[in-house]
Amino acid sequence: MSALHLRGVVLPDGAHRDLWIRDGRISLEPVPGAETVFDGGFVLPGLVDAHCHIGIGPEGPVELDEAAAQAELDRDAGTLLVRDCGAPIDTRPLQEREDLPRIVRAGRHLARPKRYIPHLADQLEDEEQLPAAVAEQAAYGDGWVKLVGDWIDRSVGDLAPLWSDEVLAEAIATAHRMGARVTAHVFGEDALPGLIAAGIDCIEHGTGLTDETVAMMAERGTALVPTLINVENFPSFAAAATKYPTYAAHMTDLYERADRTVAKAIEAGVPVYAGTDAGGGIAHGVLADEVFALHRVGMSTEQALGAASWQAREWLGWQGLEHGAPADLVCYDADPRKDLTELRSPRRIVLRGRVVDAA
């Protein structure tokens, strides 16, 4: 592996610095003979999609080669670290490929029968099975477990929680004892108090957050990944639910107040990170759109960038552009803090110390 050299304004500190790369790691000390591959722009820690589904397509699970193509789309847009929030296929072979983003796997979704998208989740007949299933997924994944916190209950015609508070507390405590964190898909209001009180580490979507549950999350440091570009699909979900008018009206209401809901969470100090929900109905490689949305609802440009780069990396346990850190970075000609659309045009991408040639 050849040594590399980059020079530019390094974010988040904003200092003009030289970076060298040797053996796949960053050096702040000169490396003789290094090839200069970027000079004069802005350098960010590799971007992070904190809610992504490599291995899911519009029709459900995909073959491994298609999952690899999805990962390439993310990589070529500058996303070099992915928290895969549940996948029905085993993507561990992709983690072995040096040319693909680093993937933090959450294993398979855990749900109840007929209470999630078909073919994607492990369906538990009895909620008492949840702690054991969480233990299994904690052992299988990379430090995360994904629950389905609520979904439409056709017997009531609306969103409803899947798990009792007591079972959630036991299941989340099980994951924590194993060194894993837990996150949950939640659209509505009712599942949130029990999940947060049980010690869940993150909420996905969170469109049903209220002032009370926002305050609970802020107090506990519970993270939120709002997937705002996926929330844009709520009107189509509502339109398709002709048999369930209460659910349709609820989804419409959640959509109409989603921006205000996320803005309140940001203002309250809830840790918020950028995630696209790519896979299924959302294309891969569109993290920039989620960054734009976070800025729209109240984050500064620098906060929105951090939510998709250095802050998200720290949250997931990965370093930024530090001496000795893995050399995953993305470079831009102009300052993305002044114009977020720069995210659409990375000038240079370096992954594992190698320059990426876009597919």
Side-chain angles (χ1 to χ4, degrees), residues 221-234:
T222 312
L224 172 66
V225 181
T227 67
L228 286 164
I229 61 174
N230 185 35
V231 174
E232 293 298 320
N233 290 317
F234 279 22

Side-chain angles (χ1 to χ4, degrees), residues 95-181:
Q95 294 177 306
E96 300 172 4
R97 287 184 46 173
E98 297 290 311
D99 62 323
L100 296 181
R102 302 180 193 271
I103 303 173
V104 177
R105 297 160 40 256
R108 290 178 62 93
H109 301 74
L110 297 176
R112 300 294 305 280
K114 299 182 180 180
R115 296 294 304 278
Y116 196 55
I117 301 168
H119 313 302
L120 297 189
D122 280 355
Q123 299 185 13
L124 309 184
E125 293 291 338
D126 188 328
E127 74 161 0
E128 297 297 329
Q129 297 172 286
L130 184 63
V134 163
E136 180 180 358
Q137 294 305 316
Y140 169 63
D142 300 321
W144 282 91
V145 178
K146 174 69 175 294
L147 308 181
V148 178
D150 71 357
W151 197 252
I152 186 171
D153 182 337
R154 288 163 177 81
S155 67
V156 299
D158 199 2
L159 295 167
L162 273 70
W163 320 101
S164 68
D165 293 354
E166 295 76 17
V167 164
L168 284 172
E170 183 181 352
I172 292 170
T174 297
H176 289 170
R177 284 195 298 270
M178 297 180 67
R181 290 185 277 183

Side-chain angles (χ1 to χ4, degrees), residues 46-62:
L47 301 184
V48 180
D49 190 337
H51 184 132
C52 189
H53 299 286
I54 292 172
I56 297 177
E59 305 303 319
V62 301

Side-chain angles (χ1 to χ4, degrees), residues 47 72-79 285-288 330 332 343 346 349:
L47 301 184
E72 288 175 351
L73 289 172
D74 292 319
R75 177 203 65 197
D76 293 349
T79 297
V286 296
L287 182 62
V330 57
Y332 302 92
L343 293 181
I349 298 170

Side-chain angles (χ1 to χ4, degrees), residues 23-331:
D23 299 328
R25 294 193 173 269
I26 293 170
S27 173
L28 301 182
E29 301 171 355
V31 175
E35 176 189 3
T36 299
V37 294
F38 185 75
D39 190 357
F42 292 78
V43 185
L44 275 70
L47 301 184
V48 180
D49 190 337
H51 184 132
C52 189
H53 299 286
I54 292 172
I56 297 177
E59 305 303 319
V62 301
E63 298 296 328
L64 200 60
D65 59 349
E66 186 172 345
Q70 294 173 344
E72 288 175 351
L73 289 172
D74 292 319
R75 177 203 65 197
D76 293 349
T79 297
L80 305 184
L81 177 62
V82 167
R83 184 181 62 139
D84 195 302
C85 261
I89 68 170
D90 185 356
T91 57
R92 285 177 291 185
L94 303 185
Q95 294 177 306
E96 300 172 4
R97 287 184 46 173
E98 297 290 311
D99 62 323
L100 296 181
R102 302 180 193 271
I103 303 173
V104 177
R105 297 160 40 256
R108 290 178 62 93
H109 301 74
L110 297 176
R112 300 294 305 280
K114 299 182 180 180
R115 296 294 304 278
Y116 196 55
I117 301 168
H119 313 302
L120 297 189
D122 280 355
Q123 299 185 13
L124 309 184
E125 293 291 338
D126 188 328
E127 74 161 0
E128 297 297 329
Q129 297 172 286
L130 184 63
V134 163
E136 180 180 358
Q137 294 305 316
Y140 169 63
D142 300 321
W144 282 91
V145 178
K146 174 69 175 294
L147 308 181
V148 178
D150 71 357
W151 197 252
I152 186 171
D153 182 337
R154 288 163 177 81
S155 67
V156 299
D158 199 2
L159 295 167
L162 273 70
W163 320 101
S164 68
D165 293 354
E166 295 76 17
V167 164
L168 284 172
E170 183 181 352
I172 292 170
T174 297
H176 289 170
R177 284 195 298 270
M178 297 180 67
R181 290 185 277 183
V182 184
T183 193
H185 160 107
V186 192
F187 282 163
E189 298 87 353
D190 293 346
L192 286 164
L195 286 162
I196 300 167
I200 200 160
D201 301 280
C202 184
I203 296 294
E204 313 297 319
H205 318 302
T207 42
L209 284 166
T210 63
D211 290 349
E212 179 183 358
T213 48
V214 164
M216 290 176 67
M217 290 182 70
E219 179 182 356
R220 290 165 171 78
T222 312
L224 172 66
V225 181
T227 67
L228 286 164
I229 61 174
N230 185 35
V231 174
E232 293 298 320
N233 290 317
F234 279 22
S236 64
F237 299 162
T242 54
K243 294 182 179 179
Y244 305 101
T246 302
Y247 167 81
H250 194 178
M251 293 298 287
T252 299
D253 178 59
L254 292 171
Y255 167 74
E256 290 176 347
R257 54 188 170 93
D259 282 8
R260 298 193 300 276
T261 298
V262 178
K264 288 181 178 180
I266 293 168
E267 292 167 3
V270 173
V272 176
Y273 302 102
T276 64
D277 208 356
I282 303 291
H284 286 264
V286 296
L287 182 62
D289 292 344
E290 185 67 17
V291 176
F292 302 159
L294 291 175
H295 178 50
R296 182 189 73 224
V297 300
M299 280 190 169
S300 69
T301 55
E302 189 156 355
Q303 287 174 325
L305 287 169
S309 179
W310 55 88
Q311 290 175 347
R313 295 181 74 85
E314 181 180 5
W315 178 56
L316 293 175
W318 286 83
Q319 294 172 283
L321 302 182
E322 307 162 22
H323 184 78
D328 300 337
L329 48 90
V330 57
C331 308

